[in-house]
Amino acid sequence: MVKTPGVSRRRFVGATAAAVAAPYFVPSSALGQGGRPAPSNRLTLAMIGIGNMGGGHLGAWLGRPDVQVVACCDVRQDVRDRCRTQTEQRYASQTASGTFKGCAADNDFRAVLARDDIDLVCIATPDHWHALIAIEAAKARKDIYCEKPMTLTIREAHAMHAAMRRYNRVFQLGSQQRSSREFRLACEMVRSGRIGKVTNVNVNVGGPSGPKEFPAQPIPEGFDWDLWLGPAPWAEYNFERSSGNYGGGWRQVRDYSGGAMTDWGNHHFDIAQWGLGRDLSGPVEILPPNLTPNRKLVMRYDDGITLTHGGGGNGVLFEGTEGKVEVNRGYLKTYPESIMADPIGASEVHLYESPGHHEDFLRCVRNRQRPICDVAIGESTITVCHLGNLAWWLGRKLTWDPDQKTIVGDAEAIRMMDRPRRAPWRLDV
Amino acid sequence: MIWRRCLPLLLLALPLAAQDADLALWTKHLTGAETAPARDAAEWQRVATAVATPLAAAMADEDPGKRQGPKNALEQIAHQAARPDAEAQRAGVAAAYASLLGPATNWRARQWLLQLLANCGRDEVVDAVAKLLDDGDARIAEQARLCLENNPSTAASALLRARLAASGTTAQQVAYLNGLGYRVDPAATPVLAKLLAHADDAVVQAAAAALARTADGAAADALQQARGTAQATCRPAVDDALLLAAERIAKKGQRPLAERIFRALYVPAEPPRVRLAALRGLAVTLGEGAIDLVLAALGSPDAETATVAAQLVGDLPGAQVSRAFAAKLGDLQPAAQVVLLGALAQRADPAAAPAVVKLLSSPTAEVQVAAANALAAIGGVEVVPDLGTLARGGATPVAQAARNALARLRGAGVDAAIMKLIRDSQPPLAVALLQAVALRQARDGAAAVLGLLQEKLPPAVAAEAARALAALAGPGDLPAVCRLLVALDATGAEAAADVVRKLLPQVATPAERSAPLQASLAAVAADRRGLLLGLLAQSGDAAALPALRSGLAGDADTQITVLEGLAEWPDAAPAADALKVLQTSTEARVRIAALACYVGLQVAHGRRAGQEAALAACREAQAKAAGDGEKRQVLRQLGTIPSAAAVAQIGGLLDDPALAPMAGETLFFAAGQVGAAFRDDMLPALRKAVEKTADADLKGKLQQYVDLLQGYGERVSCWQVSGPYGVDAGDRFNAAYAPEKPNTPATWTVVPTPQVKGGGLVDFQAMPLRGDNRCGYLRTRVFLAERTEARLELGSDDGAKVWLNGKEVHAKDVPRGHTFGEDKVDVLLEAGWNELLLKIANGGGDWSASLRIAKRDGSALAGLKYELGE
């Protein structure tokens, strides 16, 4: 589906870094105007999907001297044109002439991936597109920053993991909480045993998406609605259906998203998995709210530790035999307070310390290491979220085999681990 | 979940079956709300048809709100039927749903039923769904294909194969190929193999993808053959398919076949994309048998190959892999040793440690560094002496790496081993080890170092131990460190005082801060009393004030120490004491310290009245100043008062030939602090200073401020800032934080001049609140003599909200770069002072704002005055 590129400049950059097994750096002789690396040493990046999150990422990439945004891809013409204008105006302000042209505006991501002069893609489309675009980008030898939630289905996550490894790509999932100090510290305390044996983790996020109905509306001019739908079942256009508004929009529609369970869940369940040291594993039993005494979704690991959805607490609450750790953005508290009185010592657990989510990604692009939210971690976390949704939707207990990566003993649930895709789209791995 | 409980009510509201009492009971059986009697599939089909028919009909409603309930109900019935061990119910419900798929049912219901049947239908639905493949409604035809695609029935497979054979268009062929690939149909392999030679690229690519998922010997053979015949445009897709097929074949346990495929692809002639994927596939297939293969790749002159190999060292499963790779370390060239050491560190397997330790004595420094780094991840207490030996080498990279490794070593007994080694070592090594101790942040590290400090130590070791203590001590250690202030010699006491200064802000209450200091004060010798009082002044404990006042009556050095500490007092309580010293002391340096303390306290806590008091004190001090030095210091204090009157007073001193140079310097200092905030007062003073100043360098710097302030034009430059708020929060733009909440205190600081850039652009990224994914607030007060219709011309990066006199007048949540005057907001300014509040959000990168207040037609609005909020 995508033309195979030849040798690119970026591949040379990455290969050079690996050859010397040292962090890549830009020699001062290569610096361009205003201290920016010369164009030949900047990593070129394409934005694919430029809504709420994509717009935020765009600002961050434009603010980096070592990255050059060269393409804005979105199925909405006004959005991609605005992205291009913003990009070119930004770069124009850094030139002596005050002018700059050099950012494409594309409707179809395949046109972006076919370009050999693009090193990186930032995928911030609705969820139902993440896997297809990321896998095609991997085949095209792009390194990938992909918004969370990683996928729409369990099998997509498995396929993305395999594709990134097969094509040796650097993949950073946008679960940026791992790059925040408070979450790392919370997980280090839990894994160092400061709250004793962990018994339960409360994860406070919203619930699943559903088969939401909307009234039909005319498709706005310049909006490629068929491409927006892509692999999802055909549906009538509706502004809210395609809106990225939090608390509504496409996130509440099952054809495109798993709802808050996967959207925020990909953040907070991720921290739960990190704190429990289950990055490449997962729970073995999932009980929906209608089957639990506290009417909450509960997942159970093979050692009896439970993961309680919406169980109370601010963000993520780790409960142990000797205390609790509660963490959210900009918030870290322990019960008792003395648990966090001392810094994490050398003999305790030290987790990957990211210099910032974007920075970590770019650093790994250069040294070909795996970033803090590598695809394997992303696969495990989003699988936890999907399992929660499946049990919730089906209203019955599910059994999961983390080693074989499959639901056990429920034919319908197994069939729901993936979804057939509207032609011509397919998961090409 | 509400709809689950409301389902019976919903059904009663449906027109056709509203009076059917059986319907409600059957619904409970179908949804699991009530235990159902035993029924065969036909009976389940009958009741399901009765219940589902009105639900499907209700989905014809144009009101989406009225469609939602029936849609949810149909889904719940399907899920309940498809639970394990309920085959009769599943078959009955699926057949019932299939019976509703005809054109008599509205299209929305048909599409939804097909989606549900995609997960719960089997043999019983194939015929009904097959009829829809040629439905006149393309939406239904495609959904029918998807329904069959996910149906495990062999009949569905046969049907899809037949439809593929009969497809008349490329689009149809691709659709059915995708379907066969999705469901993995080995019976389709011969057909798929033939289509690899199809003239249309899209068909070839879809056939290859389907064969990749089938992944048996025949599929692999077909793909291998196609590599030789496929068009160049299809070759990458065939390559990808073969790689995937080989991976799946390996997972099925057919390793020899997978190995053959991968070996055929891992040859120099293949493009890197294929060759390196084959290397990975081959290594994963061979497992522990891949060690020589990976080692050879590790030494490859092709850097990308070496990179993949290094990752494979970390990825390969198997308990013996670490040992096997480590055993080969000595056979490799230094460059390859470095790469392998890094990869072994990734494996984090202590089994490799003995081999790695040997490379600490490598003649190549890069290898030594890599070995030390690896030991940090895989070493334990047993490598402490080896790393210690290297760590004493000063500032060399090897010594630094060894110290870092000592700092990161895991395992019980490491801290104790290092402390023992410190006691047994001479200063160079002991110092290096103490540096490692500081970095280790061991929970009991402070206690260990405190114990060490009680011993007789060489001066260099004692000094390093004090530095380590500063890094390790926590608030709970304050009493012990305070005791060191008494017990240690003068040098040690100064070092301990540094630790106390670091700890005081971490201790929760003023009383807990002052108690251990007061205890030490009672025991300390007279010559060290000043040091203790200076620390006590930082406690902020009102109970300590009597002792501190006694210090203010002491010698000059003690007075100054105490005054410096009191300048940061949490309220204005010591201001009168400082003023008293200012007015009575005979020593200029004491008076200056007292003035600084007094001004600092008044400016921080005294609001406008405090600023006036501070200004008066400066005037008095200026009048009494004994010489130029003291006058200069007084002027400097004047420059810290954020008020127009202070600016005017400094400007007035420019007329005094003796003070003009100092006033110019002070004005330069003040311009940097509050020039933007008091632009109207500052500009004339700065122009005058430029005129009066002889110093060319100072003149130039003053002129730069003149240019900057003039360049603000009509845009507002008098701002206070508060933030950051909502760091990494999901909806920070709409969330309300303290500045926008009534009667909620917030911390405001004046925006210094350098952060108001040319044209009046307020640059948040130049302030301490800088960063991505957050928001901040700006506020100012605007005066107009009369009630005036005005226009706010706002620029912001990213979105902005504006409140005027507490009322929201503008909100634009948008990721964007800054453009002057991009948003225009018509407002009504009241006569007198108006309160303006701005909220500026930032996603990432630049973060800035600007504001001009103009007439409604955009022309200049005269008579505007600005001042800072209280």
Side-chain angles (χ1 to χ4, degrees):
Chain A
M1 297 165 81
V2 175
K3 191 178 76 175
T4 304
V7 177
S8 77
R9 173 186 49 75
R10 177 254 311 135
R11 217 179 311 156
F12 167 77
V13 170
T16 306
V20 298
Y24 168 81
F25 67 96
V26 179
S28 57
S29 60
L31 290 178
Q33 251 186 346
R36 286 192 85 196
S40 59
N41 281 326
R42 290 178 212 149
L43 292 160
T44 53
L45 179 141
M47 296 295 308
I48 302 179
I50 315 158
N52 285 352
M53 294 308 300
H57 285 302
L58 175 65
W61 299 126
L62 290 177
R64 295 196 62 100
D66 50 352
V67 169
Q68 182 89 13
V69 176
V70 296
C72 295
C73 177
D74 199 287
V75 296
R76 296 161 296 177
Q77 185 171 353
D78 57 337
V79 170
R80 62 177 179 264
D81 287 349
R82 192 161 57 241
C83 171
R84 173 168 62 181
T85 302
Q86 182 184 347
T87 300
E88 293 187 335
Q89 282 181 350
R90 171 59 187 253
Y91 291 143
S93 71
Q94 297 168 354
T95 65
S97 65
T99 61
F100 178 86
K101 293 289 175 194
C103 180
D106 293 303
N107 178 52
D108 191 325
F109 71 93
R110 289 169 294 192
V112 172
L113 299 184
R115 284 176 56 174
D116 190 34
D117 62 340
I118 290 175
D119 304 324
L120 319 173
V121 292
C122 177
I123 302 171
T125 61
D127 308 350
H128 65 292
W129 266 116
H130 287 180
L132 289 177
I133 296 175
I135 289 168
E136 289 305 313
K139 288 182 187 173
R141 311 201 81 196
K142 316 299 183 196
D143 291 322
I144 296 151
Y145 186 106
C146 182
E147 253 309 322
K148 56 88 227 171
M150 193 164 99
T151 65
L152 188 65
T153 73
I154 290 174
R155 193 185 141 222
E156 284 180 348
H158 185 57
M160 275 173 81
H161 180 185
M164 299 308 141
R165 291 290 182 268
R166 184 180 311 126
Y167 300 110
N168 192 30
R169 300 332 306 159
V170 173
F171 178 95
Q172 175 82 302
L173 184 67
S175 302
Q176 79 279 5
Q177 288 183 174
R178 288 207 184 203
S179 290
S180 295
R181 180 180 175 277
E182 64 267 27
F183 288 103
R184 175 172 48 78
L185 189 54
C187 292
E188 287 175 338
M189 287 192 284
V190 171
R191 289 172 68 164
S192 297
R194 291 195 183 188
I195 61 170
K197 184 183 180 311
V198 181
T199 55
N200 176 61
V201 189
N202 285 345
V203 174
N204 231 341
V205 297
S209 56
K212 184 85 177 165
E213 285 288 301
F214 297 92
Q217 293 172 345
I219 300 171
E221 192 175 337
F223 195 140
D224 188 341
W225 178 240
D226 190 66
L227 193 53
W228 189 94
L229 287 171
W234 189 88
E236 295 158 318
Y237 172 81
N238 173 276
F239 172 80
E240 186 65 13
R241 182 190 288 279
S242 64
S243 156
N245 293 336
Y246 284 98
W250 52 258
R251 286 183 177 84
Q252 62 185 318
V253 185
R254 192 190 300 157
D255 286 341
Y256 323 121
S257 171
M261 184 75 80
T262 58
D263 192 57
W264 269 94
N266 211 145
H267 282 309
H268 282 348
F269 281 116
D270 188 54
I271 297 305
Q273 289 260 110
W274 201 22
L276 293 175
R278 304 298 176 110
D279 266 345
L280 303 180
S281 181
V284 296
E285 186 177 272
I286 304 94
L287 291 159
N290 55 309
L291 296 184
T292 59
N294 58 4
R295 310 298 288 176
K296 296 182 186 304
L297 174 79
V298 176
M299 309 195 204
R300 196 183 313 280
Y301 290 89
D302 57 1
D303 57 359
I305 294 175
T306 53
L307 199 55
T308 304
H309 170 266
N314 184 358
V316 184
L317 176 69
F318 293 94
E319 298 176 313
T321 53
E322 295 170 28
K324 300 177 185 177
V325 173
E326 189 175 29
V327 63
N328 206 340
R329 296 180 180 190
Y331 175 91
L332 177 59
K333 202 167 179 182
T334 61
Y335 309 88
E337 288 183 5
S338 58
I339 286 173
M340 62 186 293
D342 297 319
I344 302 296
S347 293
E348 295 185 284
V349 173
H350 289 251
L351 297 171
Y352 186 121
E353 193 167 341
S354 159
H357 221 54
H358 289 118
E359 176 63 31
D360 181 55
F361 170 59
L362 295 173
R363 187 171 71 172
C364 290
V365 166
R366 291 180 173 117
N367 66 22
R368 309 313 296 172
Q369 299 293 307
R370 293 189 185 140
I372 189 162
C373 283
D374 174 53
V375 66
I377 292 166
E379 179 193 5
S380 301
T381 296
I382 195 60
T383 298
V384 172
C385 304
H386 288 319
L387 288 170
N389 268 348
L390 288 173
W392 195 304
W393 289 327
L394 294 172
R396 57 182 179 260
K397 184 181 92 170
L398 296 181
T399 303
W400 174 251
D401 182 338
D403 296 328
Q404 297 302 314
K405 298 182 181 178
T406 188
I407 292 169
V408 178
D410 189 321
E412 186 189 23
I414 291 170
R415 287 163 76 173
M416 292 173 74
M417 287 171 58
D418 198 17
R419 304 179 191 183
R421 290 166 184 79
R422 207 161 59 99
W425 305 105
R426 62 175 173 267
L427 201 59
D428 241 2
V429 289
Chain B
M1 295 291 280
I2 289 172
W3 57 267
R4 283 181 191 269
R5 295 194 295 271
C6 296
L7 189 55
L9 288 174
L10 171 78
L11 287 168
L12 286 174
L14 293 171
L16 290 178
Q19 304 308 315
D20 190 341
D22 287 340
L23 208 55
L25 180 63
W26 292 346
T27 301
K28 288 178 181 174
H29 292 165
L30 285 163
T31 57
E34 194 168 293
T35 303
R39 293 187 173 104
D40 62 15
E43 186 62 12
W44 274 115
Q45 181 179 352
R46 189 178 71 79
V47 300
T49 303
V51 171
T53 300
L55 291 171
M59 285 190 68
D61 201 302
E62 283 306 310
D63 179 352
K66 292 179 179 171
R67 297 198 297 267
Q68 193 68 60
K71 187 174 190 178
N72 293 341
L74 287 166
E75 179 181 20
Q76 190 187 354
I77 291 168
H79 288 332
Q80 175 67 12
R83 69 191 187 278
D85 304 321
E87 178 53 21
Q89 186 174 345
R90 185 210 60 75
V93 168
Y97 282 12
S99 72
L100 297 173
L101 289 174
T105 303
N106 64 84
W107 77 266
R108 287 193 179 93
R110 296 168 81 198
Q111 189 191 36
W112 183 231
L113 290 167
L114 284 165
Q115 275 190 263
L116 297 174
L117 288 172
N119 293 324
C120 71
R122 295 185 194 167
D123 283 321
E124 69 282 338
V125 305
V126 171
D127 289 343
V129 177
K131 290 176 186 166
L132 304 183
L133 291 172
D134 297 316
D135 196 276
D137 186 336
R139 299 168 298 193
I140 299 301
E142 175 64 359
Q143 202 66 52
R145 186 188 67 77
L146 298 179
C147 180
L148 290 171
E149 188 171 316
N150 206 31
N151 186 320
S153 158
T154 54
S157 285
L159 183 66
L160 290 174
R161 288 197 300 273
R163 300 293 298 204
L164 171 63
S167 294
T169 67
T170 296
Q172 286 177 340
Q173 283 178 303
V174 168
Y176 287 113
L177 282 166
N178 289 354
L180 289 165
Y182 182 91
R183 52 188 295 111
V184 182
D185 182 7
T189 297
V191 181
L192 300 181
K194 282 183 188 170
L195 289 175
L196 289 176
H198 198 277
D200 193 305
D201 285 358
V203 174
V204 176
Q205 289 161 358
L211 284 166
R213 288 182 48 76
T214 306
D216 54 16
D221 286 346
L223 288 167
Q224 282 177 308
Q225 285 176 22
R227 293 186 80 236
T229 57
Q231 297 291 322
T233 48
C234 292
R235 177 67 181 270
V238 176
D239 289 342
D240 289 330
L242 186 57
L243 286 164
L244 176 60
E247 286 177 21
R248 293 172 72 94
I249 286 167
K251 277 188 186 163
K252 289 178 185 173
Q254 298 172 264
R255 295 191 173 189
L257 175 57
E259 184 183 342
R260 277 203 302 279
I261 297 170
F262 284 130
R263 284 199 185 281
L265 297 175
Y266 183 49
V267 293
E270 294 295 337
R273 195 177 74 98
V274 175
R275 178 169 47 80
L276 296 176
L279 169 60
R280 168 168 284 277
L282 185 56
V284 172
T285 302
L286 295 173
E288 292 183 9
I291 288 170
D292 287 337
L293 170 82
V294 174
L295 282 172
L298 210 54
S300 168
D302 173 50
E304 203 172 358
T305 303
T307 303
V308 173
Q311 287 181 348
L312 282 167
V313 173
D315 289 348
L316 280 184
Q320 297 304 314
V321 170
S322 300
R323 278 196 184 84
F325 278 119
K328 300 281 187 179
L329 268 171
D331 302 337
L332 300 175
Q333 293 299 308
Q337 285 177 325
V338 169
V339 177
L340 183 53
L341 284 165
L344 285 169
Q346 274 191 348
R347 287 189 73 82
D349 185 348
V356 175
V357 166
K358 289 179 186 171
L359 292 187
L360 287 176
S361 54
S362 165
T364 307
E366 287 80 1
V367 174
Q368 289 180 290
V369 169
N373 289 341
L375 286 174
I378 63 176
V381 63
E382 72 285 354
V383 303
V384 169
D386 296 294
L387 288 170
T389 303
L390 285 182
R392 65 185 166 193
T396 66
V398 174
Q400 188 61 46
R403 281 196 291 275
N404 288 341
L406 282 167
R408 292 157 56 199
L409 277 183
R410 307 281 192 271
V414 171
D415 291 302
I418 293 175
M419 291 306 295
K420 180 176 184 307
L421 199 55
I422 289 171
R423 287 188 166 89
D424 295 344
S425 305
Q426 294 303 306
L429 177 54
V431 166
L433 291 168
L434 276 163
Q435 289 169 353
V437 167
L439 290 170
R440 288 183 64 77
Q441 293 287 327
R443 297 192 85 176
D444 54 357
V449 175
L450 276 165
L452 191 69
L453 277 164
Q454 310 287 342
E455 302 170 16
K456 185 166 178 55
L457 300 171
V461 176
E464 194 59 45
R467 278 193 283 273
L469 184 61
L472 294 167
D477 296 312
L478 183 64
V481 182
C482 285
R483 287 193 288 276
L484 287 178
L485 291 167
V486 179
L488 297 182
D489 63 17
T491 307
E494 283 294 343
D498 286 339
V499 180
V500 171
R501 288 187 192 98
K502 178 207 152 199
L503 294 180
L504 283 175
Q506 302 173 25
V507 177
T509 66
E512 287 172 315
R513 290 194 286 271
S514 78
L517 284 164
Q518 296 212 57
S520 293
L521 190 64
V524 79
D527 63 347
R528 207 170 287 176
R529 190 173 163 75
L531 178 68
L532 267 294
L533 285 169
L535 296 169
L536 191 60
Q538 295 173 36
S539 71
D541 182 16
L545 278 174
L548 293 166
R549 285 179 178 130
S550 74
L552 288 177
D555 61 58
D557 287 338
T558 303
Q559 282 180 302
I560 291 169
T561 305
V562 172
L563 285 164
E564 286 174 351
L566 288 175
E568 302 295 324
W569 201 257
D571 57 38
D577 301 292
L579 186 62
K580 185 178 172 188
V581 175
L582 172 64
Q583 292 168 338
T584 58
S585 175
T586 56
E587 283 205 46
R589 63 191 182 111
V590 175
R591 288 198 298 273
I592 290 301
L595 180 64
C597 178
Y598 182 72
V599 170
L601 290 170
Q602 291 291 14
V603 168
H605 308 294
R607 305 169 79 98
R608 288 217 167 84
Q611 291 173 10
E612 287 168 13
L615 198 58
C618 285
R619 283 196 194 105
E620 191 179 334
Q622 194 72 39
K624 289 185 182 174
D628 285 352
E630 188 173 356
K631 287 181 178 176
R632 186 192 298 268
Q633 294 297 327
V634 173
L635 266 170
R636 176 53 58 94
Q637 293 306 317
L638 197 54
T640 65
I641 302 172
S643 78
V647 173
Q649 186 168 336
I650 300 167
L653 294 173
L654 290 164
D655 293 325
D656 181 339
L659 291 180
M662 283 178 276
E665 286 177 18
T666 304
L667 206 56
F668 173 72
F669 172 77
Q673 303 297 306
V674 296
F678 302 107
R679 178 174 40 157
D680 293 345
D681 303 283
M682 185 62 79
L683 257 176
L686 281 171
R687 290 195 188 102
K688 189 172 171 184
V690 170
E691 184 188 324
K692 301 268 184 183
T693 301
D695 182 328
D697 181 48
L698 179 60
K699 188 190 279 280
K701 290 195 288 189
L702 289 165
Q703 184 61 47
Q704 284 181 354
Y705 273 130
V706 170
D707 295 341
L708 180 62
L709 267 53
Q710 281 179 335
Y712 294 157
E714 295 170 21
R715 293 205 179 83
V716 182
S717 64
C718 178
W719 292 112
Q720 286 170 297
V721 65
S722 184
Y725 295 96
V727 176
D728 290 334
D731 190 18
R732 57 187 164 270
F733 187 82
N734 291 312
Y737 302 104
E740 62 182 278
K741 288 182 179 172
N743 306 318
T744 306
T747 301
W748 291 95
T749 55
V750 179
V751 177
T753 309
Q755 274 80 70
V756 185
K757 301 290 172 63
L761 180 83
V762 180
D763 184 358
F764 288 90
Q765 293 292 35
M767 299 187 220
L769 72 165
R770 72 175 68 88
D772 293 342
N773 300 313
R774 59 195 61 204
C775 65
Y777 292 83
L778 295 171
R779 73 173 185 183
T780 191
R781 285 164 53 84
V782 189
F783 178 86
L784 265 172
E786 295 178 355
R787 202 165 191 241
T788 306
E789 289 187 339
R791 170 170 292 174
L792 306 180
E793 296 182 354
L794 174 74
S796 67
D797 176 351
D798 293 310
K801 273 189 185 179
V802 182
W803 292 262
L804 175 61
N805 297 323
K807 183 182 173 190
E808 185 179 312
V809 294
H810 179 64
K812 194 160 190 177
D813 185 9
V814 57
R816 65 179 180 187
H818 176 274
T819 303
F820 285 116
E822 185 168 0
D823 298 347
K824 294 181 173 55
V825 186
D826 288 345
V827 295
L828 189 62
L829 292 172
E830 299 295 338
W833 287 103
N834 295 265
E835 308 275 348
L836 257 178
L837 175 67
L838 274 61
K839 178 182 191 177
I840 311 296
N842 184 39
D846 291 347
W847 183 18
S848 58
S850 66
L851 181 69
R852 175 179 178 250
I853 303 177
K855 289 182 181 173
R856 289 277 171 95
D857 63 3
S859 61
L861 180 58
L864 288 165
K865 289 183 198 170
Y866 300 96
E867 70 171 20
L868 301 171
E870 272 277 16

